[in-house]
Amino acid sequence: MTYKEKIDKSKLPLHVAVIMDGNGRWAKQKGNQRIFGHRNGVTAVRETVEAAAESGLSFLTLYAFSTENWQRPKLEVDALMSLLVSSLHGETPTLMKNSIRLTTIGNTNALSADVNKELQTTIDKTANNTGLNLVLALNYSGRWEMIRAAQDIQADAAEGKLKQISENVFAEYLATRNMPDPELLIRTGGEYRISNFLLWQLAYTELYFTSTLWPDFRKEDFFKAIVDFQQRERRFGKTSEQLEQYESSQNQ
Ligand code: FPP
């Protein structure tokens, strides 16, 4: 039985987030430059997006470029940006065919005009699609997002537009304001870190780590993570007994 067949369609996570890690090491293992790994990482992006669309998820967020990634050699940053432009250009027909809607989170204003132009074209073209929401985290970090939220709150409070801050109000100031929190986070590449990704939103997220390097990640690897998620008990601070009582009251 494949992992795809093992998925319980009635218990799908609404939102899966992915830290795509291991491109550089994959390339090095093959005696190649890091950018060779990024180029092959595009295949894994395609597989993951298709797997998410096939399994009927509502949201898939991919950590494509962090605010810290600017510190990499300029040649690598430039290569990542042009890979993004060419992938967006090349994959738009597939997004349309599968009714996938593209959006971004992150400080995209700081990206080049070329990248912004291609992004906007794809965002506009896919805006009315009703299937999977594909969210690219670009020039994103959790701390950047929270500081920006705090600044916006400060400005609104100064204008008297805001009386009280609650969790719900704070979440409205985040880049993810229209999205559910991820229920599952997948990180490839064998590191056990969050790396400044969705710090607020991951509060109750199930974490799944695999040593598979990103360019080797395929649909079945994604389905395997979903099956693993479905076997977990999510307690949200409650006890197992409380959850059982709640579930049996729902089934009556
Ligand atoms: C991490 O591997 C990967 C990235 C920083 C970028 C991910 C980008 C892509 C897969 C390319 C295209 C993206 C899209 C959305 C089309 P790493 O370089 O940190 O690997 P290492 O840990 O082995 O050095």
Side-chain angles (χ1 to χ4, degrees):
M1 203 173 177
T2 62
Y3 283 107
K4 187 178 187 186
E5 289 159 350
K6 284 189 191 160
I7 292 177
D8 177 349
K9 286 272 183 193
S10 70
K11 274 181 17 191
L12 279 175
L14 269 182
H15 182 181
V16 176
V18 186
I19 300 178
M20 312 180 281
D21 195 18
N23 294 349
R25 279 165 286 159
W26 187 89
K28 201 172 169 199
Q29 280 175 8
K30 296 190 158 33
N32 257 302
Q33 302 286 319
R34 296 177 55 81
I35 185 61
F36 180 69
H38 297 314
R39 250 183 245 133
N40 281 277
V42 175
T43 309
V45 171
R46 190 180 305 124
E47 288 261 324
T48 302
V49 172
E50 281 179 14
E54 278 172 29
S55 44
L57 299 193
S58 298
F59 289 87
L60 174 73
T61 301
L62 302 177
Y63 205 3
F65 194 84
S66 76
T67 53
E68 289 85 10
N69 285 153
W70 293 111
Q71 294 165 35
R72 295 192 173 197
K74 187 175 181 309
L75 212 62
E76 184 173 344
V77 172
D78 290 349
L80 275 169
M81 292 299 157
S82 59
L83 206 51
L84 179 67
V85 170
S86 62
S87 303
L88 285 169
H89 197 76
E91 300 297 334
T92 303
T94 317
L95 298 182
M96 295 309 291
K97 201 176 105 211
N98 295 291
S99 199
I100 297 169
R101 182 166 164 258
L102 182 84
T103 53
T104 62
I105 53 172
N107 187 10
T108 47
N109 290 335
L111 301 175
S112 73
D114 278 2
V115 173
N116 269 301
K117 186 167 162 256
E118 200 61 53
L119 270 175
Q120 207 48 55
T121 306
T122 313
I123 289 170
D124 291 346
K125 259 194 195 147
T126 62
N128 294 323
N129 289 348
T130 54
L132 174 74
N133 287 284
L134 171 62
V135 184
L136 291 185
L138 284 169
N139 198 17
Y140 173 88
S141 78
R143 288 188 179 179
W144 164 81
E145 180 185 37
M146 285 199 267
I147 291 293
R148 204 206 50 179
Q151 289 165 344
D152 289 349
I153 287 172
Q154 190 177 33
D156 281 356
E159 285 176 32
K161 287 191 206 156
L162 187 67
K163 293 275 172 302
Q164 213 144 40
I165 302 171
S166 62
E167 280 196 16
N168 286 343
V169 169
F170 189 79
E172 280 297 306
Y173 283 85
L174 296 173
T176 51
R177 66 186 64 83
N178 298 318
M179 294 158 56
D181 288 342
E183 287 159 271
L184 172 65
L185 171 77
I186 299 172
R187 181 175 186 141
T188 62
E191 313 279 4
Y192 300 92
R193 283 194 291 273
I194 299 299
S195 299
N196 213 348
F197 190 38
L198 299 172
L199 294 180
W200 171 273
Q201 298 85 345
L202 293 178
Y204 288 102
T205 303
E206 296 293 329
L207 308 179
Y208 178 89
F209 298 98
T210 168
S211 56
T212 301
L213 302 175
W214 181 250
D216 287 330
F217 196 78
R218 292 291 175 269
K219 285 183 183 180
E220 268 294 280
D221 298 297
F222 185 81
F223 296 138
K224 185 178 177 189
I226 306 263
V227 169
D228 186 285
F229 164 83
Q230 293 185 328
Q231 284 159 358
R232 300 189 192 185
E233 180 186 63
R234 307 191 71 213
R235 291 202 293 275
F236 302 99
K238 297 196 174 90
T239 66
S240 294
E241 291 73 22
Q242 284 174 311
L243 287 180
E244 276 164 26
Q245 275 167 15
Y246 175 76
E247 271 164 25
S248 65
S249 73
Q250 293 293 298
N251 293 333
Q252 274 162 19

